[in-house]
Amino acid sequence: MTDHKIKIATTSLAGCFGCHMSFLDMDEKLAILSEYIEFNRSPFTDIKHCEPSDIGLIEGGVCTAENVHVLREFRTHCRILVAVGACAITGGVPAMRNYFDLRDCLEEAYLHGAGITNPQIPNDTELPLLLDKVYPVGDVVKIDYFLPGCPPPADAFLQLLLPLLDGKAPQMTGEKLHYD
Ligand code: SF4
């Protein structure tokens, strides 16, 4: 094990937080890991900006200009960047909107969808600008490792992190990885 704590940053872009929940599924192993890791920017800490970190875990694809900004910040500050889950790797479920025109998606969601009582497309300037499509994170920045699954199982996160604690490269192969 290293004599200093591994610093980890995580974020969810266009994702459902299921990958983060799977991370928490390590349960009691998390308590052991916490002796060797610490979190920087993450939903677990509510730190707003990514500072220099050993590893960045990215959940979700890229669907807004803000997602691009966050992803680039992670790439700048994380020595190793990992695309976690199907959404980050391929765009996943959010990328289903890529089969439709963005305007049609907005109109269906906010004007013509079932149960809408005050139809209007949100246009507050504080809202992140939607991109034309949902992109895999690898289309925007260089990714070092891909952790597949929807979500990846908790043991796959361990497989990623344990070699790092020994100062070795993560081993991202084998039966703990799955692709559904
Ligand atoms: S890969 Fe699956 S669990 Fe992870 S953010 Fe996407 S939909 Fe959610």
Side-chain angles (χ1 to χ4, degrees):
M1 299 285 175
T2 60
D3 54 1
H4 67 281
K5 286 194 171 187
I6 298 289
K7 193 176 284 189
I8 297 176
T10 82
T11 190
S12 179
L13 305 177
C16 74
F17 279 94
C19 290
H20 275 82
M21 295 307 291
S22 189
F23 188 97
L24 293 177
D25 269 349
M26 282 190 275
D27 297 331
E28 74 280 1
K29 292 169 191 161
L30 262 182
I32 299 169
L33 266 183
S34 67
E35 294 180 29
Y36 305 101
I37 66 174
E38 63 182 326
F39 287 100
N40 188 247
R41 175 181 169 153
S42 171
F44 305 137
T45 61
D46 204 26
I47 294 172
K48 303 301 183 195
H49 289 284
C50 181
E51 294 168 357
S53 299
D54 296 294
I55 185 163
L57 303 177
I58 307 291
E59 171 197 295
V62 182
C63 77
T64 67
E66 185 194 25
N67 291 161
V68 174
H69 173 77
V70 170
L71 187 52
R72 286 180 175 155
E73 184 182 66
F74 267 69
R75 181 66 279 178
T76 299
H77 292 298
C78 296
R79 189 166 56 82
I80 294 171
L81 202 57
V82 184
V84 176
C87 296
I89 295 171
T90 69
V93 172
M96 290 174 71
R97 85 154 158 91
N98 293 353
Y99 293 99
F100 304 95
D101 181 78
L102 176 57
R103 184 79 200 176
D104 290 343
C105 293
L106 289 169
E107 291 185 357
E108 178 62 24
Y110 294 107
L111 302 184
H112 309 309
I116 291 176
T117 56
N118 181 22
Q120 53 184 309
I121 295 176
N123 62 358
D124 193 300
T125 52
E126 296 221 344
L127 289 174
L129 189 67
L130 280 174
L131 304 180
D132 59 337
K133 292 186 184 302
V134 179
Y135 295 90
V137 294
D139 279 12
V140 180
V141 298
K142 176 181 176 291
I143 297 295
D144 301 296
Y145 294 96
F146 297 86
L147 193 60
C150 180
D155 280 350
F157 284 98
L158 274 177
Q159 189 180 34
L160 169 77
L161 295 174
L162 290 179
L164 281 171
L165 299 181
D166 283 328
K168 298 175 184 163
Q171 301 299 314
M172 309 293 286
T173 59
E175 62 189 21
K176 290 193 171 53
L177 303 185
H178 64 78
Y179 297 86
D180 55 352

